[in-house]
């Protein structure tokens, strides 16, 4: 029906103090969209990074912000939950990067040291043909 031509029936219940028949009924349209997805809290990732005990406790900071994000999500404050979730995500990225880069750096330095010592001639030639004898002469007794 068209709202312009529709008149209220005499047996309707008014929502205001106006009398029936004074004015045509008005309608209210509420657009209901899909609700916004709640932000992720990255709690499991934060727990894993916390248990690894990395540099500057970045995993623990990520865990703190993950718990805060979960609390705000439960309270219904999605904006604060999204902010805490974003901080937790970046602390987790930093912690995970640190957890990968440092062991790789140690391995690279160790391998580089071995290669360098293998190429040195003289009293430090531990990996050559006379390696054990050179080692004992240098560090023995």
């Amino acid at each position: 029906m068209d709202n312009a031509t529709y008149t209220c029936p005499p047996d309707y219940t008014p929502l205001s103090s106006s009398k029936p028949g004074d004015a045509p009924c008005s309608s209210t349209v509420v657009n209901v969209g899909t609700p916004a997805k709640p932000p992720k809290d990255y709690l499991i990732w934060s727990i894993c990074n916390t248990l690894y005990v990395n540099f500057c406790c970045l995993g623990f900071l990520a865990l703190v912000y993950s718990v805060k994000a979960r609390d705000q999500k439960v309270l219904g404050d999605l904006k604060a939950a999204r902010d805490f979730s974003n901080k937790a995500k970046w602390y987790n990225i930093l912690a995970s990067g640190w957890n990968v880069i440092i062991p790789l750096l140690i391995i690279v330095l160790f391998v580089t040291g071995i290669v360098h010592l293998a190429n040195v001639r003289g009293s430090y030639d531990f990996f050559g043909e006379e390696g054990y004898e050179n080692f004992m002469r240098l560090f023995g007794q």
Side-chain angles (χ1 to χ4, degrees):
M1 292 185 152
D2 187 14
N3 284 340
T5 59
Y6 180 72
T7 57
C8 297
D11 60 340
Y12 81 99
T13 305
L15 296 176
S16 65
S17 62
S18 66
K19 304 247 184 233
D22 284 350
C25 294
S26 62
S27 62
T28 303
V29 176
V30 177
N31 293 326
V32 179
T34 57
K37 282 183 160 181
K40 293 181 179 181
D41 53 17
Y42 305 106
L43 188 64
I44 302 298
W45 191 13
S46 299
I47 290 172
C48 292
N49 280 330
T50 301
L51 292 177
Y52 189 76
V53 186
N54 49 14
F55 178 72
C56 290
C57 298
L58 293 173
F60 181 71
L61 287 172
L63 181 64
V64 168
Y65 283 114
S66 294
V67 170
K68 284 184 176 185
R70 181 167 281 200
D71 289 345
Q72 293 301 319
K73 189 167 48 170
V74 168
L75 291 175
D77 188 2
L78 293 182
K79 183 181 181 310
R82 198 167 286 112
D83 290 341
F84 288 134
S85 173
N86 192 27
K87 287 181 183 181
K89 178 179 76 173
W90 282 106
Y91 278 121
N92 277 320
I93 289 171
L94 289 172
S96 296
W98 191 261
N99 291 345
V100 170
I101 289 173
I102 294 302
L104 286 177
L105 185 63
I106 290 171
I107 290 170
V108 166
L109 289 174
F110 184 72
V111 169
T112 304
I114 289 175
V115 168
H116 177 69
L117 287 176
N119 291 332
V120 172
R121 299 289 176 224
S123 62
Y124 296 110
D125 187 14
F126 300 132
F127 302 103
E129 297 168 355
E130 302 163 350
Y132 182 72
E133 290 82 18
N134 288 335
F135 180 80
M136 291 310 290
R137 256 186 288 146
L138 187 62
F139 294 107
Q141 297 177 1

